[in-house]
Amino acid sequence: MQPKPVFSVDCAVEEFGDAQCITSGSIQRASERLLTFQTGSALLVPVAANMEADAEESHYFVRDIEKNDGCTLKVKQCYLGDVGCVVWDAAIVLAKYLETKQFYDPSSGVNVWAGRSVVELGAGTGVVGLMAATLGAQVTVTDLEDLQTLLRVNIQENQALITSGSITVKVLKWGEDVSAFLPPPHYVLMADCIYYEQSVVPLVESLKLLAGPETCIICCYEQRTEGINPKVERKFFELLQQNFSCEEIPSDKQDPEFSSPDIRILHIRKV
């Protein structure tokens, strides 16, 4: 997630069945509420603070994400950190979308991800990129320097599930040089990256630089109705539509359990 948030909270971890979430009375925005899917499992409420990544176990708690094949991604999150240090709702919606039958159906021999190059922007914990790698993609997860440790920790934690794909981690600050990620990847993935007004222009610039004529950008984000968020979304799409076309994915094409009316998935391509 980019850039740094301007708020911080004290937080407590509570258990909801076999799921964990971070709660705080200080966070009131609707975008940071607890989202419960049809399974009844809770996802995470993002929390913000100044992040200092630390590899000690005491600094992490784990979110288990079950894949359709029965394996489980174990995603470590930080008790304290910026918005990239926990799993956001849109990240899980996107991760589960990647293994829907249109992309991945072993029973019929379908695997769109096998051998495909993927770059994830604003990867945070890396859950979306990790899912793609376990499905056979050649993934590069990217974020700012201070999230590299968390990304590496989660790659190491889930390495055994990555059998035919691969995953590496690199620093990418939006709007800066992307030559290390070229030629253009087959897919660019981004979950809840449309958030800060000051990041909109550099984010769109990175998409323009990264995407080729065959690149599909899959963008998943939560629509937020409070504060400056609607303005940020409008600005993003106004800039995006100068160079890209957008196709919204209907709910019946998403994971039947991990979806929500206020979380949108878009396929974006250069025009």
Side-chain angles (χ1 to χ4, degrees):
M1 294 285 173
Q2 304 189 33
K4 293 285 190 180
V6 294
F7 55 89
S8 63
V9 298
D10 295 322
C11 61
V13 177
E14 298 180 358
E15 297 286 344
F16 286 78
D18 57 358
Q20 291 179 318
C21 70
I22 296 179
T23 61
S24 172
S26 302
I27 300 181
Q28 300 296 330
R29 292 198 294 270
S31 63
E32 295 174 339
R33 52 78 178 118
L34 185 67
L35 174 62
T36 304
F37 290 107
Q38 296 172 18
T39 57
S41 296
L43 293 185
L44 291 168
V45 179
V47 66
N50 295 324
M51 181 174 186
E52 291 183 3
D54 194 317
E56 296 179 11
E57 290 298 314
S58 61
H59 288 257
Y60 298 124
F61 63 104
V62 177
R63 171 67 164 128
D64 289 347
I65 299 169
E66 187 173 351
K67 298 176 71 252
N68 290 347
D69 63 6
C71 296
T72 301
L73 286 169
K74 293 187 175 295
V75 183
K76 291 185 176 180
Q77 305 158 97
C78 298
Y79 284 107
L80 294 177
D82 69 20
V83 293
C85 77
V86 294
V87 178
W88 288 57
D89 299 344
I92 294 186
V93 170
L94 180 53
K96 295 298 291 182
Y97 174 64
L98 300 186
E99 58 172 359
T100 55
K101 288 187 175 182
Q102 62 195 301
F103 293 112
Y104 185 75
D105 185 9
S107 65
S108 60
V110 173
N111 187 355
V112 169
W113 301 112
R116 297 300 178 99
S117 56
V118 172
V119 173
E120 183 184 2
L121 301 182
T125 63
V127 60
V128 175
L130 282 165
M131 177 66 82
T134 66
L135 299 174
Q138 312 301 310
V139 180
T140 303
V141 289
T142 72
D143 214 310
L144 297 174
E145 182 66 45
D146 60 359
L147 282 162
Q148 300 296 295
T149 296
L150 181 59
L151 285 166
R152 291 190 178 95
V153 165
N154 279 326
I155 289 171
Q156 182 177 6
E157 182 73 21
N158 294 280
Q159 195 67 56
L161 299 182
I162 303 171
T163 55
S164 59
S166 66
I167 187 166
T168 58
V169 56
K170 291 184 179 180
V171 174
L172 176 60
K173 185 175 181 181
W174 298 339
E176 297 189 354
D177 180 41
V178 301
S179 58
F181 304 94
L182 300 176
H186 295 105
Y187 290 90
V188 173
L189 306 177
M190 43 188 284
D192 249 344
C193 291
I194 312 167
Y195 197 86
Y196 293 110
E197 185 174 19
Q198 61 266 42
S199 72
V200 168
V201 171
L203 173 56
V204 173
E205 183 63 21
S206 287
L207 293 176
K208 287 166 28 180
L209 295 171
L210 276 172
E214 305 302 320
T215 301
C216 178
I217 301 165
I218 306 182
C219 170
C220 184
Y221 74 99
E222 181 179 340
Q223 284 191 295
R224 298 173 169 92
T225 59
E226 296 187 359
I228 199 172
N229 292 300
K231 177 184 175 183
V232 173
E233 286 182 25
R234 284 196 303 272
K235 182 177 180 181
F236 173 78
F237 286 108
E238 286 170 1
L239 291 172
L240 192 74
Q241 288 168 4
Q242 295 175 16
N243 296 278
F244 295 90
S245 63
C246 300
E247 174 194 1
E248 184 165 1
I249 305 305
S251 59
D252 61 359
K253 296 290 187 181
Q254 302 177 33
D255 185 280
E257 294 179 347
F258 291 89
S259 62
S260 175
D262 59 351
I263 294 181
R264 302 174 67 194
I265 299 177
L266 303 175
H267 284 196
I268 302 168
R269 295 182 183 273
K270 262 188 174 176
V271 294

